[in-house]
C-alpha cells in the first residue's frame, strides 16, 4: 500500500493453557493505509483481541514485526514509546473499565492532554472542543463518568482517544455492549470523525454487520489466521473463505440491505 501507516508482518503469539498450546495468532500480516478503516472480523476466540493487545504494546509478540508511521513499533520502549503512544489510541468495549468512574468527564479528558504536553490554560478549551466533536456539550465536563449512559460513556472514550491527535484508532468491540439505536449513532460518529479528520481505524468486532457499516476493507480471522481480506463490499457479497461465509450467513439481510 502506498501511504502505508501500519504494516504488520508474520505476527505470531501462543498461549499455554491447561498444558495445551494455543496459537492465538499464527503468522498474521496486515496493512492499514493512512485514513483507512480496516474491519477485523472473526468468531470469538479467533485472535482479534490478542492482535489489538500486541498493537497497543500490552502483550509481547512471540515473532513478527510491526511498522507504524515508519518506525519499528515493537522495538520502541520507555520514554520514546510513551511519546509515540499518542499516535495510536484504543477504544475498548467497556469504557468504565478504562477510566475511574468517580472521575469527572473533564478530568478524564484532561489526563491525555496534560500527559502529552498541552499547556494548562489551553486544556479547558480543548476539552470543550473534544466534547462537541463527539456530540456532547461543555455541560458534560463537570459530570461524573458513572452518571452517563453507555452511549455517552463511549463518546467520552472516543473523545479521550482522539485527544492526542492519533493517526490510528484501535477499536475492540467498541459498540458491542450498546443497544442497537445507540450503536448506530456511535457508528455514525466514527464514520464522521474518520471523514473529517482522516484518522485510520482498526475496527474489531465479531459482528459482520457492524464491521460492514464502517469499513473500507475487511479482514477475516479464523483460528489465529487471516483467512481473507478484501474490499468490504466484496467480502460481504462474495465471501471466499469458510469463516467469511459463516459470518455472512449469520446476517442474512446484509447483502441486500447494507447498513
Ligand atoms: N492471556 C491468555 N492466556 C491464555 N490464553 C489466551 C489468553 N488470551 C487469549 N487467549 C486465547 O487465545 C485465543 C484468542 O483469543 P482472543 O484474542 O481473545 O480472541 P477474540 O478476541 O477473537 O475473541 C483464544 O483461544 C483464547 O482463549
Ligand atoms: Mg476479543
Amino acid at each position: 500500500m502506498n501511504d502505508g501507516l501500519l504494516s504488520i508482518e508474520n505476527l505470531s503469539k501462543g498461549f499455554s493453557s491447561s498444558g495445551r498450546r494455543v496459537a492465538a495468532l499464527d503468522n498474521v500480516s496486515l496493512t492499514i493505509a493512512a485514513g483507512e478503516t480496516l474491519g477485523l472480523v472473526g468468531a470469538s476466540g479467533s485472535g482479534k483481541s490478542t492482535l489489538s493487545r500486541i498493537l497497543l504494546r500490552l502483550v509481547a509478540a512471540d515473532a513478527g514485526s510491526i511498522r507504524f508511521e515508519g518506525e519499528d513499533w515493537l522495538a520502541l520502549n520507555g520514554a520514546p514509546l510513551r511519546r509515540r503512544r499518542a499516535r495510536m489510541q484504543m477504544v475498548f468495549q467497556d469504557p468504565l473499565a478504562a477510566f475511574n468512574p468517580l472521575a469527572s468527564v473533564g478530568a478524564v479528558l484532561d489526563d491525555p492532554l496534560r500527559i502529552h504536553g498541552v499547556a494548562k490554560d489551553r486544556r479547558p478549551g480543548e476539552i470543550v472542543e473534544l466534547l462537541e466533536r463527539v456530540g456532547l456539550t461543555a455541560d458534560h465536563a463537570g459530570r461524573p463518568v458513572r452518571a452517563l449512559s453507555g452511549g455517552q460513556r463511549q463518546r467520552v472514550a472516543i473523545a479521550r482517544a482522539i485527544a492526542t491527535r492519533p493517526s490510528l484508532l484501535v477499536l475492540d468491540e467498541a459498540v458491542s455492549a450498546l443497544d442497537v439505536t445507540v450503536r448506530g449513532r456511535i457508528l455514525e460518529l466514527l464514520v464522521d470523525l474518520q471523514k473529517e479528520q482522516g484518522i485510520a481505524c482498526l475496527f474489531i468486532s465479531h459482528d459482520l454487520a457492524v464491521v460492514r457499516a464502517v469499513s473500507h476493507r475487511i479482514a477475516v480471522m479464523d483460528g489465529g489466521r487471516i483467512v481473507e481480506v478484501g474490499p468490504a463490499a466484496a467480502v460481504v457479497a462474495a465471501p471466499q473463505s469458510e469463516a467469511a461465509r459463516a459470518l455472512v450467513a449469520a446476517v442474512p439481510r446484509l447483502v441486500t440491505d447494507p447498513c
Side-chain angles (χ1 to χ4, degrees):
M1 195 139 295
N2 289 340
D3 48 356
L5 174 73
L6 178 80
S7 160
I8 299 170
E9 272 187 45
N10 301 317
L11 210 59
S12 291
K13 175 72 181 177
F15 291 107
S16 297
S17 75
S18 28
R20 234 167 41 89
R21 191 91 185 134
V22 177
L25 291 184
D26 183 3
N27 263 293
V28 165
S29 298
L30 277 178
T31 60
I32 301 183
E36 178 183 37
T37 297
L38 178 71
L40 181 63
V41 68
S44 175
S46 57
K48 306 181 299 295
S49 291
T50 301
L51 179 62
S52 72
R53 287 191 200 111
I54 292 174
L55 265 176
L56 273 293
R57 298 290 308 272
L58 304 173
V59 168
D62 294 339
S65 64
I66 298 176
R67 287 196 79 73
F68 175 59
E69 294 192 319
E71 282 183 298
D72 181 349
W73 183 244
L74 299 185
L76 284 173
N77 282 300
L81 175 61
R82 279 197 295 280
R83 270 197 304 279
R84 306 297 289 141
R85 276 187 194 282
R87 305 290 295 160
M88 188 195 296
Q89 289 286 308
M90 177 98 181
V91 180
F92 294 96
Q93 173 168 359
D94 176 11
L96 269 194
F99 33 69
N100 174 4
L102 300 177
S104 70
V105 169
V108 163
L109 298 179
D110 192 66
D111 270 352
L113 296 172
R114 178 175 44 77
I115 291 166
H116 292 286
V118 178
K120 192 168 183 175
D121 58 338
R122 283 187 42 221
R123 298 207 293 263
E126 289 217 15
I127 289 169
V128 172
E129 258 178 53
L130 283 167
L131 286 169
E132 289 175 350
R133 214 176 304 158
V134 298
L136 297 172
T137 64
D139 290 349
H140 288 97
R143 300 194 201 163
V145 170
R146 63 167 181 192
L148 303 181
S149 68
Q152 288 171 333
R153 282 176 196 166
Q154 208 51 302
R155 287 178 193 272
V156 173
I158 293 166
R160 188 174 69 158
I162 63 174
T164 59
R165 301 174 199 274
S167 60
L168 178 66
L169 281 186
V170 179
L171 302 114
D172 191 353
E173 305 283 4
V175 299
S176 302
L178 303 175
D179 69 43
V180 172
T181 315
V182 177
R183 176 184 298 172
R185 293 205 192 106
I186 298 287
L187 292 175
E188 276 168 24
L189 168 65
L190 286 171
V191 170
D192 285 350
L193 282 175
Q194 209 264 335
K195 278 189 195 142
E196 280 166 23
Q197 301 186 38
I199 303 176
C201 295
L202 176 62
F203 188 91
I204 300 172
S205 174
H206 66 282
D207 183 337
L208 183 59
V210 163
V211 167
R212 173 69 183 94
V214 294
S215 305
H216 299 116
R217 286 188 304 140
I218 293 177
V220 181
M221 274 193 96
D222 185 31
R225 296 187 182 177
I226 303 291
V227 293
E228 181 163 350
V229 53
V235 170
V236 168
Q240 302 294 305
S241 62
E242 194 73 21
R245 278 194 290 273
L247 290 164
V248 169
V251 202
R253 289 169 59 248
L254 200 57
V255 177
T256 50
D257 184 19
C259 301

